[in-house]
Amino acid sequence: MCGIFAVVNDKTNYAAQTVLAGLKKLEYRGYDSWGIVIKPLKSDTLRVKKHAGKIGQAKTSLPQGTIALGHTRWATHGGVTDENAHPHLDCQKQLAVIHNGIVENYLEFKEELIKKGHKFSSETDTEVIAHLIEEKIKNKPTTHAVFETFKALSGSNAIAVLDTKLEAIIACRNGSPIVVGIDKKNHQYFLGSDVPAFFKYTNCVYFLNDGESVVINKHGIKLFDLKTEKEKRLITQTLDWKLEDAEKGGFSHFLLKEIHEQKETIAKTAGLNGKEIKKVVKMIKDGNKIVLIGCGTASYCALAGKYFFSRAGVESQVYQANEFLPFSHFCDKQTVLIAISQSGETADTLIAAQTAKKNGAKVVAVVNARGSTLERLVDVVLPVDTGPEIAVVSTKAFTAQLATLYLLTMSVANKNSPGQKKINQLSKVLTQWLDVQLINQLINIVKSLIDEEHVYVIGKNLNYPAASEFALKIKETSYLHAEAFAAGELKHGVITLIQKNTPCFVLASNDETKNEVLSSAAELKARGGRIIGVAPFTSPEFDELIKTPDLGDLTIFGNIIVGQLLGYYLGIGRGADPDKPRNLAKSVTVK
Ligand code: M6R
């Protein structure tokens, strides 16, 4: 939700151009508008360029300079206009502010500031930050004015301020991510919402914690504790990512690259977390309740987890994190809450995890992005380490999380090594299956679906969460209305939606529910539906079959990947941007 990027001591002297390139890598965090501010080499007057719309092919003619700050916006307060694009300046135009989050108490500040004569030029909550700092600067040094202002803001926020007099960037974090990159060789410093923005310059990073601030100028970088306003030691870490992880690597879109990466990422996940999984198994055996939570795709992963746990002989509960609070009081010391999140920054998931923790529950995170807020608040982290997931819609993180939950449940049933073997075999089989022939078949099906208004997806048992994720991928990536139903639910009402040639995907596995699902397929067919089977077997009920590998409980992996690929090619065919679907942001850091 909004991307922040800054450079200090840009060695090319074209800091605005460096920031523009970095912002393009962060666009998945929001693409309603973008903006850059620079302190020019030969002037103290800040220069700003900002526009509504995607950053796409944008160029900038901002003057030379060594320090610049930029932003890509996912609009919350104020419409998508040039004026509401960040950065926002104070009345004197001495400082520029960009922001990720929501200032919940901005209206009270705005009224006071207007009374004091401040002039506002946008409808955003962010602009109050610039004017508040301007007020405080009258009595104290800029750095402390920024600290004090930031501490007065309620909500989850991250800000970065460019001060022209200090020639410094001051950034503060509370709930929204900020990471700094240090390029020691070239004496350059970077600041971003996420690592891909600066990864080509350095892998030496520091993820800010909540309640911390950094001040970066040409002499170096200082870390502060916001509570005490005292400097503290900054200990960097070196990331072992590869540069290709943050690039498209020959694929036309990150989404397609990330779908194909699943051939490796699922198996890689299986080799991680041995010790941590043992810890979680013990927690589960010592407790009496398991709760799984997540939002969107992660919530479908949680739901699949519930089926996996049941197959391991253990009962569990699932909530969408955003609907968890009414039930949070049932969590206590005997509860193990498993929070699933790609980003580890989803506000609803964080609130649910914090609440459960307050009630005494043990909290486990199954996350992909490293250094996240979720990671810091939980008892055990099960990282899935698929590398940066840059496409807005989640694919490889989801399947790695699913594999992690499968392994956890197999360990609960004392079947850790068979679980590992099955995941490794799954990976090999997927690699062979995901070939040109499959892609050509999917593209032909996509061609026949381009002008449809609705498609339906059914599944039973593990294929029910799989169907839900399958439908979400199609909706998100191509804007085609796809609705998932539990196969057994059709006859209770939804079958009214089926007419002649209505496309119906039937997800199935060779399991105990096969015949029931085929009966549901027959019911759809009898109403004229066009039945596209996604399964490891043929059936007279299917008009067409997309054959997936037969892997027992793990058959759902192939079934889901079909949905990811259909979503991608439908997106292309229907003129959507598969990497950046409209209205969405990669991490939803607001409630
Ligand atoms: O980062 P998280 O996994 O917590 O994000 C949760 C959802 O916002 C996310 O899965 C969303 O549904 C994506 N658009 C899925 O493709």
Side-chain angles (χ1 to χ4, degrees):
M1 209 130 274
C2 298
I4 295 175
F5 185 56
V7 60
V8 178
N9 266 357
D10 183 85
K11 73 164 191 208
T12 65
N13 276 354
Y14 283 98
Q17 284 71 8
T18 303
V19 168
L20 184 76
L23 286 180
K24 287 182 182 174
K25 295 235 178 295
L26 285 182
E27 208 190 358
Y28 61 89
R29 301 185 65 89
Y31 24 92
D32 288 330
S33 61
W34 61 276
I36 298 173
V37 57
I38 187 164
K39 187 210 156 286
L41 272 186
K42 295 183 185 143
S43 154
D44 283 342
T45 309
L46 292 175
R47 294 278 305 275
V48 172
K49 183 173 169 86
K50 55 184 197 171
H51 289 293
K54 288 184 182 176
I55 200 164
Q57 303 306 316
K59 295 204 168 74
T60 174
S61 54
L62 282 169
Q64 282 190 310
T66 57
I67 178 166
L69 176 60
H71 186 264
T72 56
R73 177 170 186 243
W74 190 83
T76 59
H77 291 63
V80 179
T81 62
D82 289 355
E83 293 73 29
N84 290 334
H86 298 206
H88 294 286
L89 272 54
D90 65 327
C91 298
Q92 301 302 318
K93 308 206 179 329
Q94 290 294 304
L95 50 93
V97 177
I98 57 171
H99 166 222
N100 173 16
I102 291 180
V103 180
E104 288 169 1
N105 51 347
Y106 85 104
L107 278 177
E108 29 178 293
F109 291 132
K110 192 164 179 174
E111 276 167 29
E112 267 175 47
L113 288 161
I114 289 172
K115 277 189 209 147
K116 287 183 179 157
H118 289 264
K119 298 270 176 298
F120 282 78
S121 46
S122 78
E123 305 150 322
T124 63
D125 50 340
T126 306
E127 197 181 349
V128 298
I129 304 172
H131 296 282
L132 274 175
I133 299 171
E134 185 177 24
E135 267 304 300
K136 292 190 192 287
I137 272 175
K138 292 178 186 161
N139 310 314
K140 53 183 58 152
T142 311
T143 310
H144 292 277
V146 173
F147 293 169
E148 214 168 85
T149 300
F150 187 71
K151 286 192 278 186
L153 311 177
S154 36
S156 288
N157 293 295
I159 62 165
V161 181
L162 170 51
D163 181 283
T164 181
K165 278 196 199 134
L166 288 183
E167 289 194 43
I169 304 263
I170 306 161
C172 308
R173 171 192 164 130
N174 175 33
S176 294
I178 297 187
V179 52
V180 290
I182 301 163
D183 172 7
K184 289 183 191 154
K185 197 168 125 218
N186 295 303
H187 196 46
Q188 298 183 106
Y189 301 96
F190 301 91
L191 181 112
S193 302
D194 212 344
V195 177
F198 57 71
F199 193 63
K200 75 171 186 184
Y201 303 102
T202 180
N203 61 354
C204 172
V205 303
Y206 178 75
F207 291 95
L208 267 74
N209 291 299
D210 282 346
E212 287 183 342
S213 170
V214 280
V215 179
I216 315 173
N217 62 21
K218 63 180 172 197
H219 305 297
I221 178 165
K222 285 184 177 173
L223 177 68
F224 288 87
D225 180 322
L226 278 168
K227 203 160 163 204
T228 59
E229 303 196 359
K230 297 236 164 74
E231 196 181 338
K232 59 196 267 200
R233 201 160 152 230
L234 186 151
I235 302 169
T236 57
Q237 70 180 95
T238 305
L239 294 175
D240 66 352
W241 294 358
K242 296 192 284 303
L243 190 54
E244 310 88 85
D245 288 342
E247 305 291 339
K248 284 187 202 152
F251 287 92
S252 44
H253 292 91
F254 281 109
L255 179 58
L256 192 59
K257 174 182 173 238
E258 288 161 10
I259 292 173
H260 281 273
E261 278 174 350
Q262 293 173 110
K263 295 170 196 164
E264 289 98 42
T265 49
I266 296 171
K268 186 179 166 209
T269 303
L272 306 170
N273 300 322
K275 271 194 208 146
E276 286 74 12
I277 284 183
K278 273 193 195 143
K279 267 193 219 161
V280 182
V281 170
K282 179 162 182 336
M283 282 177 179
I284 289 173
K285 291 192 172 162
D286 290 347
N288 64 11
K289 193 188 295 170
I290 303 170
V291 178
L292 296 135
I293 57 158
C295 292
T297 285
S299 77
Y300 300 135
C301 188
L303 185 57
K306 180 176 168 140
Y307 286 87
F308 283 148
F309 268 117
S310 170
R311 287 168 115 75
V314 181
E315 194 189 359
S316 61
Q317 294 166 11
V318 177
Y319 297 98
Q320 277 171 207
N322 41 62
E323 284 298 331
F324 171 70
L325 288 192
F327 309 95
S328 61
H329 60 278
F330 295 120
C331 285
D332 57 20
K333 286 185 182 151
Q334 303 292 316
T335 307
V336 178
L337 180 123
I338 304 177
I340 299 156
S341 175
Q342 189 288 129
S343 61
E345 300 293 348
T346 300
D348 292 316
T349 306
L350 290 174
I351 292 166
Q354 273 154 349
T355 313
K357 192 149 192 190
K358 241 185 246 157
N359 293 352
K362 307 271 181 309
V363 183
V364 178
V366 185
V367 282
N368 184 42
R370 300 314 309 270
S372 69
T373 310
L374 183 63
E375 208 173 290
R376 288 152 214 240
L377 71 86
V378 302
D379 299 286
V380 181
V381 184
L382 302 179
V384 300
D385 277 356
T386 69
E389 194 182 64
I390 293 177
V392 166
V393 304
S394 187
T395 52
K396 62 175 180 173
F398 170 79
T399 46
Q401 287 165 325
L402 199 58
T404 302
L405 287 183
Y406 175 74
L407 287 172
L408 173 63
T409 58
M410 288 296 275
S411 296
V412 168
N414 299 320
K415 292 183 188 159
N416 181 45
S417 350
Q420 295 265 359
K421 270 192 205 140
K422 283 194 175 168
I423 293 285
N424 285 325
Q425 191 208 350
L426 162 77
S427 223
K428 282 188 198 134
V429 173
L430 288 180
T431 306
Q432 283 164 5
W433 165 74
L434 232 171
D435 62 3
V436 178
Q437 207 186 330
L438 173 74
I439 302 293
N440 287 340
Q441 185 196 7
L442 295 181
I443 290 174
N444 281 331
I445 291 178
V446 160
K447 284 183 190 157
S448 70
L449 294 175
I450 294 267
D451 297 322
E452 291 292 344
E453 282 184 28
H454 311 281
V455 300
Y456 299 100
V457 190
I458 64 162
K460 191 170 179 67
N461 202 322
L462 273 163
N463 275 300
Y464 172 50
S468 305
E469 174 58 7
F470 188 111
L472 181 61
K473 287 289 92 87
I474 292 179
K475 281 184 276 204
E476 288 186 302
T477 318
S478 72
Y479 318 145
L480 167 58
H481 175 231
E483 202 68 45
F485 301 112
E489 192 63 18
L490 285 178
K491 51 192 177 296
H492 300 292
V494 288
I495 200 150
T496 56
L497 298 170
I498 308 304
Q499 304 176 58
K500 192 164 180 334
N501 289 329
T502 303
C504 302
F505 289 94
V506 176
L507 270 53
S509 302
N510 241 328
D511 62 12
E512 66 279 13
T513 64
K514 174 178 168 182
N515 289 339
E516 262 183 82
V517 177
L518 289 176
S519 299
S520 301
E523 288 161 16
L524 293 169
K525 197 168 178 161
R527 272 81 192 171
R530 169 186 168 194
I531 312 301
I532 309 167
V534 181
F537 52 82
T538 53
S539 161
E541 311 304 350
F542 298 155
D543 296 310
E544 294 140 81
L545 170 68
I546 301 169
K547 196 156 191 273
T548 52
D550 194 351
L551 291 160
D553 284 354
L554 302 185
T555 302
I556 57 164
F557 281 81
N559 291 358
I560 289 165
I561 290 172
V562 169
Q564 297 173 347
L565 285 162
L566 288 173
Y568 173 76
Y569 289 108
L570 274 165
I572 299 280
R574 289 165 63 93
D577 179 343
D579 281 344
K580 299 179 202 103
R582 67 186 176 209
N583 306 337
L584 273 180
K586 181 74 180 158
S587 51
V588 185
T589 52
V590 293
K591 284 186 259 177

